[in-house]
Amino acid sequence: MNRMKWVWSCFLIVSLILLTACGQSTSNNAKIVEDKVNVVTTFYPVYAFTAAIGGEDANVINLLPTGVEPHEWTPKSQDIVNTSKAQLFLYNGAGLEGWVPNFLKSLNSDTQVKSVAVSEGVALLTAEGDDGHGHGAEHDEEHADEHTDEHEGEHSDEEAATEEVADHHVDPHTWVSPKSAMIMAENIKNSLVEADPAHQAGYEERYEELHSKLVALDQRFTEQLSQVPNKEIVVSHQAFGYLARDYGLTQHAIMGLSPDAEPTGQDIVNLAKLVKDEGIKYIFFEELVSDKLAKTLASEAGVETMVLNPVEGLTKEQVDNGDDYFTLMEKNLQNLLIALK
């Protein structure tokens, strides 16, 4: 652990030197604004909900660049600079952003930023088995402690919580279910109101608009998926546990909780047999990670592939098309209805 901290510190020092020399900016070129509450978010879903609720009253800076998968991304020097000057740092928690504890320790000593894990309050899922492949899609519900960090004096608690999450293989993909997204949106709204009470009315009004859209989305998922004859889905990585739990589906994943968790040859054989035995017609893949394994399994099982988006981020094409959380989730619903009919 000490060696890891030393390596991290060296990385930060070198990065800060390069930043000064080269004038590096954040991936989205966002900057701190003096006359608004500044909020830094870690990746797309948290950013999207925060921007919707914050509206014109908040300056929201998203760390993750367009088209980048969040599991292995790490922050840059300018991200540390901006976050140190911000009022809020909002991250998902539940083990998704493993870099958060060291990142918070690297902020300027005089920072006033408050960090909040917006998944707090969601009934978290844990994967059965150490490999995280989720074969059989058996999951336990478990409440994992996600602490709201005040930056000063609480880093050890946050680090302990993150390590506990990692040890128990908690599924961090909370936002993929509209039911969990509602909890996250409320946490974001409460954080904005606390940080900037002068604009509470605007935050409350925009939150209600977002909440209504999430409720409507939840109702469509509930009503339409309750009518499909089949309930088994095979996905590229284990990102759809909350969606499966909340809408009566069973998830089988080629890879584990991280899209880098490689399956064995026997895993592929077993999944191909399951696909044939259950009459599954489609293998789902996602845009931000390689579709090679999904296509390999589909070829082995003699079925087709289709997109099921974990909404971890937007591709450049999706940005150009004006896609957002709701359009991608609607596409997910339509693809599920096709695959499960």
Side-chain angles (χ1 to χ4, degrees):
M1 182 62 70
N2 289 336
R3 178 174 176 80
M4 291 179 63
K5 291 180 179 177
W6 178 82
V7 171
W8 175 265
S9 298
C10 290
F11 165 77
L12 292 176
I13 292 170
V14 172
S15 298
L16 284 169
I17 293 172
L18 291 174
L19 169 64
T20 302
C22 302
Q24 178 182 343
S25 63
T26 57
S27 56
N28 57 7
N29 296 316
K31 296 180 180 180
I32 294 294
V33 176
E34 293 298 330
D35 59 348
K36 291 185 179 181
V37 61
N38 291 277
V39 186
V40 175
T41 62
T42 53
F43 76 127
Y44 176 71
V46 180
Y47 169 79
F49 298 156
T50 304
I53 299 169
E56 62 187 16
D57 297 321
N59 178 46
V60 186
I61 299 171
N62 192 39
L63 296 183
L64 193 71
T66 298
V68 175
E69 206 282 330
H71 287 81
E72 297 301 322
W73 180 85
T74 54
K76 307 298 185 292
S77 303
Q78 187 62 43
D79 301 326
I80 297 171
V81 173
N82 281 342
T83 304
S84 295
K85 297 177 181 178
Q87 286 72 54
L88 280 175
F89 172 68
L90 303 182
Y91 64 108
N92 185 72
L96 181 71
E97 306 100 330
W99 47 267
V100 163
N102 280 330
F103 179 77
L104 293 176
K105 292 176 183 177
S106 303
L107 300 182
N108 294 345
S109 59
D110 60 349
T111 182
Q112 298 298 308
V113 69
K114 178 178 181 180
S115 61
V116 179
V118 301
S119 64
E120 184 175 0
V122 176
L124 299 178
L125 293 173
T126 55
E128 286 288 342
D130 292 338
D131 63 3
H133 290 164
H135 301 307
E138 296 177 355
H139 297 83
D140 290 333
E141 292 187 17
E142 176 177 297
H143 291 275
D145 292 331
E146 285 288 350
H147 300 289
T148 298
D149 191 355
E150 296 286 354
H151 182 71
E152 293 294 334
E154 295 187 15
H155 298 301
S156 59
D157 290 340
E158 173 60 39
E159 189 168 4
T162 302
E163 289 173 353
E164 177 183 356
V165 164
D167 290 343
H168 289 85
H169 304 286
V170 170
D171 183 348
H173 304 88
T174 53
W175 63 92
V176 186
S177 167
K179 292 185 187 297
S180 297
M182 291 183 215
I183 297 173
M184 296 169 64
E186 184 174 12
N187 288 338
I188 291 169
K189 181 263 294 182
N190 291 341
S191 298
L192 285 167
V193 169
E194 183 178 348
D196 184 25
H199 295 102
Q200 177 173 353
Y203 297 139
E204 295 280 2
E205 180 180 354
R206 289 184 290 268
Y207 162 73
E208 290 299 335
E209 294 174 2
L210 176 61
H211 179 73
S212 295
K213 292 176 68 175
L214 288 170
V215 168
L217 184 65
D218 170 50
Q219 290 174 343
R220 289 193 291 277
F221 268 81
T222 299
E223 293 168 3
Q224 297 184 43
L225 289 179
S226 68
Q227 301 173 25
V228 296
N230 302 305
K231 304 293 184 180
E232 309 276 339
I233 60 173
V234 177
V235 298
S236 57
H237 100 273
Q238 195 172 342
F240 302 92
Y242 296 92
L243 186 75
R245 177 188 69 183
D246 292 341
Y247 303 104
L249 306 179
T250 300
Q251 170 187 233
H252 305 275
I254 301 173
M255 294 172 278
L257 292 173
S258 166
D260 292 330
E262 292 286 342
T264 65
Q266 189 60 47
D267 290 333
I268 297 294
V269 171
N270 292 342
L271 277 173
K273 181 177 186 303
L274 181 145
V275 169
K276 294 174 182 178
D277 291 347
E278 297 292 337
I280 294 170
K281 302 172 185 176
Y282 293 90
I283 307 299
F284 288 112
F285 69 96
E286 49 199 81
E287 291 99 332
L288 292 181
V289 298
S290 171
D291 60 0
K292 181 179 178 180
L293 287 173
K295 288 185 175 179
T296 297
L297 176 58
S299 177
E300 178 75 18
V303 298
E304 299 182 55
T305 59
M306 185 183 293
V307 170
L308 193 62
N309 197 319
V311 201
E312 294 174 338
L314 300 180
T315 65
K316 185 180 184 302
E317 181 181 3
Q318 288 165 344
V319 172
D320 293 341
N321 290 340
D323 279 319
D324 60 17
Y325 176 85
F326 290 96
T327 64
L328 296 181
M329 288 298 292
E330 287 286 359
K331 290 176 183 177
N332 280 346
L333 177 57
Q334 296 310 311
N335 286 352
L336 284 168
L337 294 174
I338 292 170
L340 297 174
K341 66 182 180 181

